[in-house]
Amino acid sequence: MTVSYWMDRSGNNKINADVVIIGGGIAGLSTAFWIKKEDPSMKVVLVERYQIGDGATGRNAGFITCGSVEHFNRLVGKHGRDEAALIWKFSEENLRLLKEHVIQESGDELLFENKGSFSLASTNSEFTELKSSAKLMESFDIKVEELDEVAIRQRLNAEGFVGGIKYIDDASIHPLKLLHKMKEKIEQLPSEVTFLENNEVYSIENKGDNKLVKTKHAQIEAPIVVFATNGYSAMLNNFFADKIFPTRGQILATEPVPRFMEGPCYANFVLDYFRQMPTGEMIIGGFRQLQKDAEIGYSDQTSDTIQAALEEFLHKHIPPVRKAKITHRWSGIMGFSVDGQPMVGAMPTDPQLFFVGGFTAHGLGLAFHSGKCLVDTLFDRPIPSFISARRF
Ligand SMILES: Cc1cc2nc3c(=O)[nH]c(=O)nc-3n(C[C@H](O)[C@H](O)[C@H](O)COP(=O)(O)OP(=O)(O)OC[C@H]3O[C@@H](n4cnc5c(N)ncnc54)[C@H](O)[C@@H]3O)c2cc1C
C-alpha cells in the first residue's frame, strides 16, 4: 500500500517504543509474549494491518505437529542425522512451551487434543519411506507407531491408504482461539503491550538512531523493529523477495458428523491433510501442487480446481463425511522459506531490523519457540543455526 499526502494522519499520533512488532499472527504475539516475560519494562507496540489472527494463523488447519514439511527420512537426507534430530526437538519444545505458558488448563476451551497425528501413504513407495522414517525416528527416541491398511480403516475410517505411521506426541487445536488465549496471557503480564489493529505499516524509515514505522494513523519511533509479517514480508522489504515466498493454501470444512477418527492425518508427502474437530466438523486442505503457479502470491481466493480436488479426496478417502454438507471454503497465505526452516534474528542488511517467520506451513509447530529465540537474539544470546536469519 502507498499512502498519499492527503491520507496521511500519522502525525497526529506519535508513539515512542522500545520495540515495534509488525504482524498480529502467532509469530508477532509469541514475540510480544517472550519480550514481556524477559523484561516487563520494555515498551512494546504490535501493529496489525487488519485484526489479530486475520492472517494465516486464523486460517490454518490447527495441526500442532513436530518436524517440518517433509518426512523425517528426507529431513535427514537434507540436514544430516544430528541437525534433523535438533529440528524435531525444536518443535517438540514448541509444544511443551505452548502447553506450559498458553494452553495450561484451557485445553477444552481451545479444542486442544494431544492424541498424536498420522502420515498416510496411498502408494507402496511412500509407505516404504514412512517405514524408514519411523526406524530413524525410533533411533532418536521419537515415539512413532506403524499402521497397516486394516488399522487405518479401523482407527481412522479412511480408505485408499496402504499404510502409515502415527506420531504419538503431536497435537491439534482451534488456532484462532489459541491466538486469542495468547493475547489474554500477554495482557495478564505485568506491563502492557499496545496493540494497534487496522493499521497497515507502509514505510519504515531511519530517524536518527531509531526507526520510524509509519501507518496511515500512527508514527511509532523505536530502536528495534520486528517483522512478523509472514508471506507478506517482501511487500515491506525487498530483502525477503528471494527468501520468503508467499504461498496460498486452501481448505474446506463440513458440517459436524459423529466422531469417527482417532486423530488428524497428513497424506501424499504432507501436502494434503484432514482432521475431524472434537466438535465433529471435518477440515480438509492441500492440493496446492495442482496449481503451483496460481498458488504463489497474495490473493485471498479459493479456486474451483483445488476445491473440486478437496471434495474428490473427501469422497474417495473419508466415507463417513461423503454426505456431509460443506459449510466453509477459504484460503490463506503462508510464508515458505528457501529450505523449509524458520528464519529468526536480525537481518544481515540492518542490525535494527529483526525477522521471525518462514514457517513453511508449520507455524503452530514452530512459532512460539521461534518467538522465544527471537528474544534471545535481541539479548545477544545464541540460537540454533538452522533457524538463523543470517544463514542465506
Ligand atoms: C490453509 C492453511 C493451512 C495451514 N495449516 C497449518 C496447520 O495445520 N498447522 C500449522 O502449524 N500451520 C499451518 N499453516 C501455516 C500457519 O498458519 C502459519 O505458519 C502461521 O500462521 C504463520 O504465522 P505468522 O504469525 O508468521 O503469520 P500470519 O498469521 O500470517 O501473521 C502475519 C500478520 O502480519 C500482518 N501484516 C502483513 N503485512 C503487514 C503490514 N504491512 N502492516 C501490518 N501488518 C501486516 C498480516 O495481516 C498478518 O495478520 C497453514 C496455513 C494455511 C494458509
Side-chain angles (χ1 to χ4, degrees), residues 22-29 47-65 179 196 199-202 215 228-233 235-236 247-251 266 273 275 285-286 330-335 356-367:
I22 310 172
I26 191 166
L29 269 76
V47 192
E48 163 55 43
R49 178 167 56 157
Y50 303 122
Q51 290 188 316
I52 300 296
D54 277 359
T57 306
R59 295 160 181 274
N60 65 50
F63 289 53
I64 312 182
T65 45
L179 194 68
L196 293 181
N199 267 272
E200 179 169 358
V201 172
Y202 71 90
T215 79
T229 38
N230 187 27
Y232 307 99
S233 304
M235 292 170 84
L236 272 178
T247 308
R248 188 168 65 183
Q250 297 187 37
I251 291 188
Y266 286 103
Y273 44 91
R275 66 179 281 218
W330 71 90
S331 73
I333 306 301
M334 303 173 276
V356 53
F359 302 115
T360 316
H362 271 59
L364 297 185
L366 296 164

Side-chain angles (χ1 to χ4, degrees), residues 171-211:
S172 54
I173 202 157
H174 186 307
L176 194 54
K177 286 189 175 177
L178 171 69
L179 194 68
H180 288 154
K181 180 59 71 180
M182 200 178 279
K183 183 163 183 268
E184 210 178 290
K185 297 286 174 193
I186 293 169
E187 286 164 347
Q188 285 163 6
L189 291 171
S191 67
E192 215 178 295
V193 169
T194 304
F195 290 95
L196 293 181
E197 293 177 86
N198 301 309
N199 267 272
E200 179 169 358
V201 172
Y202 71 90
S203 93
I204 300 162
E205 297 162 14
N206 291 320
K207 187 179 176 201
D209 291 339
N210 286 337
K211 298 288 175 190

Side-chain angles (χ1 to χ4, degrees), residues 194-316:
T194 304
F195 290 95
L196 293 181
E197 293 177 86
N198 301 309
N199 267 272
E200 179 169 358
V201 172
Y202 71 90
S203 93
I204 300 162
E205 297 162 14
N206 291 320
K207 187 179 176 201
D209 291 339
N210 286 337
K211 298 288 175 190
L212 190 65
V213 175
K214 282 185 165 178
T215 79
K216 251 201 278 187
H217 314 288
Q219 291 183 9
I220 313 122
E221 192 176 328
I224 301 288
V225 177
V226 179
F227 291 80
T229 38
N230 187 27
Y232 307 99
S233 304
M235 292 170 84
L236 272 178
N237 192 312
N238 205 37
F239 169 78
F240 300 108
D242 59 354
K243 297 175 186 69
I244 301 292
F245 307 104
T247 308
R248 188 168 65 183
Q250 297 187 37
I251 291 188
L252 65 74
T254 72
E255 64 182 342
V257 300
R259 279 200 96 177
F260 61 88
M261 280 182 78
E262 187 178 312
C265 300
Y266 286 103
N268 192 16
F269 293 91
V270 203
L271 284 168
D272 310 325
Y273 44 91
F274 54 103
R275 66 179 281 218
Q276 190 180 24
M277 298 290 296
T279 39
E281 297 86 347
M282 194 75 206
I283 309 277
I284 307 180
F287 286 95
R288 66 174 183 277
Q289 65 276 18
L290 293 183
Q291 289 188 301
K292 273 189 183 149
D293 292 341
E295 294 300 280
I296 300 290
Y298 302 105
S299 92
D300 169 20
Q301 285 173 327
T302 57
S303 76
D304 292 346
T305 306
I306 290 180
Q307 290 293 321
L310 292 172
E311 282 188 46
E312 197 185 317
F313 182 92
L314 180 156
H315 284 274
K316 185 170 167 199

Side-chain angles (χ1 to χ4, degrees), residues 330-345:
W330 71 90
S331 73
I333 306 301
M334 303 173 276
F336 274 42
S337 71
V338 174
D339 61 1
Q341 300 308 320
M343 271 177 63
V344 178

Side-chain angles (χ1 to χ4, degrees), residues 36-245:
K36 282 294 174 183
K37 274 279 202 200
E38 174 89 26
D39 182 353
S41 73
M42 284 180 86
K43 186 158 189 233
V44 177
V45 176
L46 188 147
V47 192
E48 163 55 43
R49 178 167 56 157
Y50 303 122
Q51 290 188 316
I52 300 296
D54 277 359
T57 306
R59 295 160 181 274
N60 65 50
F63 289 53
I64 312 182
T65 45
C66 291
S68 82
V69 278
E70 53 211 339
H71 293 332
F72 192 70
N73 64 321
R74 294 189 177 200
L75 199 64
V76 170
K78 217 193 239 177
H79 295 267
R81 279 177 61 90
D82 292 347
E83 189 160 279
L86 289 176
I87 290 171
W88 195 276
K89 300 284 171 198
F90 184 88
S91 52
E92 280 184 347
E93 176 65 0
N94 183 78
L95 178 55
R96 194 195 68 71
L97 290 168
L98 273 176
K99 287 201 274 191
E100 181 184 335
H101 294 278
V102 186
I103 298 169
Q104 294 175 325
E105 70 297 339
S106 319
D108 289 348
E109 180 195 329
L110 305 180
L111 304 182
F112 174 70
E113 291 190 324
N114 201 172
K115 295 181 175 171
S117 78
F118 297 82
S119 236
L120 306 181
S122 47
T123 61
N124 286 323
S125 65
E126 186 176 4
F127 192 28
T128 304
E129 282 207 33
L130 283 174
K131 285 191 275 194
S132 90
S133 285
K135 276 212 172 59
L136 278 165
M137 292 164 88
E138 276 162 351
S139 73
F140 289 110
D141 290 330
I142 300 168
K143 285 187 255 161
V144 279
E145 179 193 351
E146 201 178 302
L147 285 86
D148 62 14
E149 192 177 346
V150 176
I152 290 172
R153 277 178 201 276
Q154 285 171 347
R155 291 164 59 179
L156 301 166
N157 274 287
E159 283 181 357
F161 298 104
V162 295
I165 58 177
K166 177 174 183 178
Y167 308 105
I168 308 286
D169 291 327
D170 281 354
S172 54
I173 202 157
H174 186 307
L176 194 54
K177 286 189 175 177
L178 171 69
L179 194 68
H180 288 154
K181 180 59 71 180
M182 200 178 279
K183 183 163 183 268
E184 210 178 290
K185 297 286 174 193
I186 293 169
E187 286 164 347
Q188 285 163 6
L189 291 171
S191 67
E192 215 178 295
V193 169
T194 304
F195 290 95
L196 293 181
E197 293 177 86
N198 301 309
N199 267 272
E200 179 169 358
V201 172
Y202 71 90
S203 93
I204 300 162
E205 297 162 14
N206 291 320
K207 187 179 176 201
D209 291 339
N210 286 337
K211 298 288 175 190
L212 190 65
V213 175
K214 282 185 165 178
T215 79
K216 251 201 278 187
H217 314 288
Q219 291 183 9
I220 313 122
E221 192 176 328
I224 301 288
V225 177
V226 179
F227 291 80
T229 38
N230 187 27
Y232 307 99
S233 304
M235 292 170 84
L236 272 178
N237 192 312
N238 205 37
F239 169 78
F240 300 108
D242 59 354
K243 297 175 186 69
I244 301 292
F245 307 104

